[in-house]
Amino acid sequence: MPSLFIMTPETLFVFGLLAAVVLFFVTNLWRPDIVALLVVPALMLSGILRADEALAGFSDQAVVLIAALFVVGEGLVQTGIAYRVGAWLTKTAHANETWLLVLLMLAVAALGSVMSSTGVVAIFVPIVLNICSRLKMEPKQLMMPLAFAALFSGMLTLIATPPNLMVNDALRNAGLQPFGFFAITPIGILSLTVGIFYLWSLGRRLLPPSAQKKASLSRRQSLVELIENYQLQGQFQRLRVSRESPLAEQTLAETQLRTRWGFTVVGISRRTRFGETAFPAEPHSRIQALDSLYVAGPKEAIADFCEAEHLDPLPIQGPQQHNLMRELGLVEILLPPESRLIGRTLRQIDLRDKQGLTVLGIRRHLKPLHSNLHQEKLAFGDLLLATGSWKRIGLLQSEPKNFLILNLPEELAEVSPSYRQAPFAMAILVAMVIMMVFGLVANVAAALMAALAMGLCRCLRVEDAYRSINWPSLVLIAGMLPLARAMEKTGGVAMISEALVAVLGGAGPLALLAGIFIMSAVIGMFISNTATAVLMAPISISAAQMVSASPYPFAMTVAVASSAAFLTPISSPVNTLVMTPGGYSFNDFLRVGTPLLVVIMALTLVVVPLLFPF
């Protein structure tokens, strides 16, 4: 009887565990990395894998390689190379929308081929918003091309995206020669070309017009516009502290004004012999008699406060506003998928103590929240309006995993902390690529040497290197690899492979190749493209061997299908990252992504067998 119909208890357990993992990924009940981490003890306790087998994912060379590439990519950011590409794009595109779309996708794909595609998108989101504001375009027209270009970048080089490395790892584990550095490049160049033409000619037209302009997300908004977006008009006042006020000589932390009165002190102005000096309000700031406090909150609460604490309301005129804005900045922040703020309240994260910033308002789905802001649990995609010193706002750029700046004032242009080391970073990158292309050393050794060289040449600090590594992604990969191993050990991979062969094998290898692509695309709708590659790569290799075909076209098809994660905003972090700035719905990705996926599938079925014969 074929093994397709043999289901042992161990096989049942592994399939049940896989179903549970997919369910948690789809419903987002727990974080994907936590779910993947729970797989490891489950496989150990079940006796299906030994402890060393279950933990092997954490020492897998693909995991180490990905971690090193995160560090190399951060070196490109810290030295300003990535930002210079964005500045060149802004300067070159002028007002031509077609030329802008082409240049944007080419620049993002080129950068994404040698650094984290998620990092590239995080860099370009504010750049694109700035361009849209200047050209009076809707961000919806460029944000999806931005994400899709990052996905296409995964098809340009072997190191461009974790799914490629997972496929190569599966080939190595099967005792086969891995793909070369540029093996996927011809397919990627063709796919990128087709993708650019599709998005220019049809893709943008499939998006419905926005119900409202997204200018509110622009980096060049005025102070008044930002305040209006959060419906904070009339909530800013200037109060003079009288000599009789009990607030005099107390620190802001000691006054507990937010707890007692429900409003926030954002700045303090003080007269000195050199004139009036303003400075941001921080917990240790000490109030003196005759100081001016700039506060934000309900008018009624502020009126009661003035009467009780002996303060006098004063108008905010041009000189005072200008004086304050020289020291105090206003910034709009988007919470990216991996932000540590998600799921916590403003009171719990205490941005004023840790970042020196005060949150004035929150917008969710572009609608301001009005009540109990400090008790509201923050969610992915929330927009925060924060105020603090320009220096503190600038430091947010060093934490892209937690804060993505959407509206950054012109006065604080993006400055690369290590820009003098840019030539070194470029030389390190070129040397790493050369070593990988010509096989001078193992890929993981080349990446580790490049990461170390970035630190030795002061392209980034050690703290930046550790911060740049996307640890949740590494844990997700390391946790899913043992599940793929367990499926192989219990016969699960063979069962799925036999099912594919039984249904499609009689129609020839091309039909089986199509089945592999469709299965990878469907799985990728619900879980990340990295997890899809981990699961599908061994299945594709096994199916190829069953029909006595070369495994290489099947493995390459999995790599391409994993990068073609166009269908849902959860298929890849780059899709999730552009969803709020672009004002997209779930259906927008389906509407634009489905035809593109069909086109890429047809291209794959034609080109892959030519490059990698059956």
Side-chain angles (χ1 to χ4, degrees):
M1 183 178 292
S3 62
L4 175 62
F5 302 103
I6 299 175
M7 187 76 75
T8 65
E10 291 80 7
T11 310
L12 277 172
F13 178 84
V14 172
F15 276 119
L17 185 60
L18 175 61
V21 168
V22 172
L23 178 64
F24 277 109
F25 282 170
V26 172
T27 57
N28 202 29
L29 293 176
W30 292 343
R31 286 171 41 145
D33 53 322
I34 299 299
V35 175
L37 197 58
L38 289 172
V39 169
V40 177
L43 293 172
M44 284 193 289
L45 294 174
S46 67
I48 293 173
L49 295 183
R50 301 189 310 270
D52 60 326
E53 291 177 315
L55 295 171
F58 292 94
S59 60
D60 191 276
Q61 63 175 289
V63 173
V64 179
L65 174 59
I66 292 167
L69 291 174
F70 276 127
V71 177
V72 173
E74 182 67 15
L76 300 181
V77 174
Q78 292 288 327
T79 54
I81 293 172
Y83 287 113
R84 289 177 192 179
V85 173
W88 167 82
L89 172 67
T90 305
K91 180 180 178 180
T92 307
H94 301 296
N96 188 313
E97 292 187 20
T98 298
W99 189 230
L100 175 62
L101 183 141
V102 173
L103 285 178
L104 173 66
M105 294 190 68
L106 289 175
V108 170
L111 268 180
S113 68
V114 292
M115 62 179 287
S116 163
S117 57
T118 305
V120 173
V121 173
I123 292 168
F124 271 87
V125 163
I127 293 172
V128 170
L129 290 171
N130 183 13
I131 294 172
C132 290
S133 171
R134 182 165 53 83
L135 300 182
K136 295 182 172 56
M137 293 174 58
E138 291 186 12
K140 174 173 280 191
Q141 297 301 314
L142 288 180
M143 283 296 169
M144 196 172 289
L146 166 62
F148 287 1
L151 292 173
F152 283 124
S153 73
M155 304 179 197
L156 292 179
T157 64
L158 176 68
I159 65 170
T161 184
N164 295 354
L165 301 174
M166 295 300 100
V167 170
N168 240 24
D169 209 40
L171 287 170
R172 190 180 296 107
N173 291 338
L176 299 167
Q177 181 69 27
F179 287 120
F181 188 86
F182 290 118
I184 196 174
T185 305
I187 306 168
I189 292 174
L190 287 173
S191 297
L192 176 62
T193 304
V194 170
I196 291 174
F197 179 78
Y198 166 79
L199 288 166
W200 167 75
S201 61
L202 180 62
R204 292 186 298 167
R205 291 169 175 79
L206 293 176
L207 290 171
S210 299
Q212 54 180 317
K213 294 288 184 181
K214 297 300 182 294
S216 59
L217 294 176
S218 163
R219 294 176 67 204
R220 294 187 179 273
Q221 284 182 298
S222 68
L223 172 65
V224 173
E225 288 172 329
L226 279 173
I227 291 173
E228 288 176 350
N229 289 339
Y230 288 82
Q231 298 181 2
L232 297 176
Q233 306 96 309
Q235 295 202 20
F236 288 89
Q237 295 194 42
R238 176 182 172 219
L239 310 175
R240 173 66 57 82
V241 180
S242 69
R243 297 184 185 278
E244 298 79 24
S245 174
L247 298 180
E249 303 308 321
Q250 291 190 59
T251 66
L252 282 177
E254 292 170 342
T255 63
Q256 298 183 338
L257 295 181
R258 185 186 300 166
T259 304
R260 292 166 53 206
W261 296 97
F263 62 83
T264 303
V265 180
V266 297
I268 301 175
S269 181
R270 180 174 299 157
R271 285 197 171 277
T272 66
R273 58 181 177 174
F274 303 107
E276 191 164 358
T277 302
F279 52 91
E282 298 187 349
H284 62 270
S285 301
R286 189 170 296 278
I287 301 172
Q288 297 182 7
L290 304 182
D291 279 354
S292 294
L293 305 183
Y294 292 89
V295 301
K299 288 183 179 180
E300 298 78 8
I302 294 175
D304 294 340
F305 165 70
C306 289
E307 185 175 348
E309 304 288 349
H310 303 288
L311 282 85
D312 304 314
L314 296 175
I316 303 178
Q317 298 174 332
Q320 289 84 26
Q321 180 175 319
H322 178 73
N323 186 42
L324 183 66
M325 289 304 295
R326 282 188 303 181
E327 302 294 332
L328 193 68
L330 204 63
V331 63
E332 191 171 35
I333 304 163
L334 170 69
L335 300 187
E338 303 299 335
S339 175
R340 62 175 173 79
L341 280 64
I342 292 174
R344 304 172 67 189
T345 65
L346 291 177
R347 192 179 301 279
Q348 290 171 332
I349 59 179
D350 200 2
L351 284 183
R352 177 169 272 192
D353 277 342
K354 296 176 180 176
Q355 265 76 32
L357 298 174
T358 301
V359 175
L360 303 177
I362 301 174
R363 283 201 296 163
R364 183 166 297 160
H365 307 305
L366 302 182
K367 294 181 180 178
L369 303 181
H370 294 289
S371 58
N372 299 321
L373 290 187
H374 291 276
Q375 300 297 327
E376 186 73 35
K377 286 189 176 181
L378 299 175
F380 164 64
D382 280 356
L383 300 170
L384 309 182
L385 184 66
T387 183
S389 68
W390 293 123
K391 180 179 179 180
R392 294 283 193 173
I393 291 173
L395 290 175
L396 289 182
Q397 296 176 94
S398 66
E399 297 190 56
K401 290 183 184 176
N402 295 315
F403 310 97
L404 178 57
I405 297 176
L406 291 187
N407 289 308
L408 192 63
E410 240 179 26
E411 292 80 2
L412 192 68
E414 291 165 337
V415 177
S416 306
S418 305
Y419 68 93
R420 290 186 179 89
Q421 273 65 43
F424 295 103
M426 201 67 208
I428 292 167
L429 175 65
V430 171
M432 182 189 75
V433 172
I434 289 174
M435 285 189 288
M436 289 180 170
V437 170
F438 293 100
L440 302 179
V441 297
N443 287 343
V444 64
L448 282 173
M449 287 191 290
L452 290 170
M454 286 285 186
L456 291 174
C457 294
R458 295 184 299 168
C459 298
L460 75 171
R461 302 172 303 165
V462 174
E463 296 84 355
D464 295 325
Y466 280 111
R467 176 184 52 77
S468 69
I469 298 174
N470 192 322
W471 296 106
S473 294
L474 294 186
V475 171
L476 171 64
I477 296 168
M480 292 299 291
L481 283 172
L483 183 57
R485 169 66 183 139
M487 289 182 64
E488 290 181 15
K489 190 172 183 179
T490 60
V493 168
M495 292 177 62
I496 298 174
S497 302
E498 287 182 5
L500 280 169
V501 171
V503 174
L504 299 171
L510 191 62
L512 186 58
L513 201 67
I516 292 289
F517 190 102
I518 293 171
M519 190 172 179
S520 300
V522 170
I523 292 175
M525 290 180 64
F526 307 108
I527 65 176
S528 74
N529 55 353
T530 302
T532 299
V534 170
L535 294 173
M536 286 300 302
I539 291 172
S540 67
I541 294 170
S542 176
Q545 292 171 338
M546 287 180 183
V547 296
S548 301
S550 168
Y552 291 103
F554 294 86
M556 181 58 71
T557 296
V558 171
V560 174
S562 297
S563 285
F566 311 122
L567 295 183
T568 71
I570 63 173
S571 298
S572 171
V574 300
N575 292 351
T576 312
L577 205 53
V578 303
M579 189 174 182
T580 296
Y584 298 122
S585 67
F586 190 95
N587 288 334
D588 287 338
F589 282 91
L590 279 176
R591 186 181 296 111
V592 179
T594 302
L596 181 57
L597 181 68
V598 172
V599 171
I600 298 302
M601 176 180 168
L603 180 68
T604 302
L605 296 180
V606 171
V607 176
V608 167
L610 294 176
L611 297 175
F612 305 94
F614 293 116

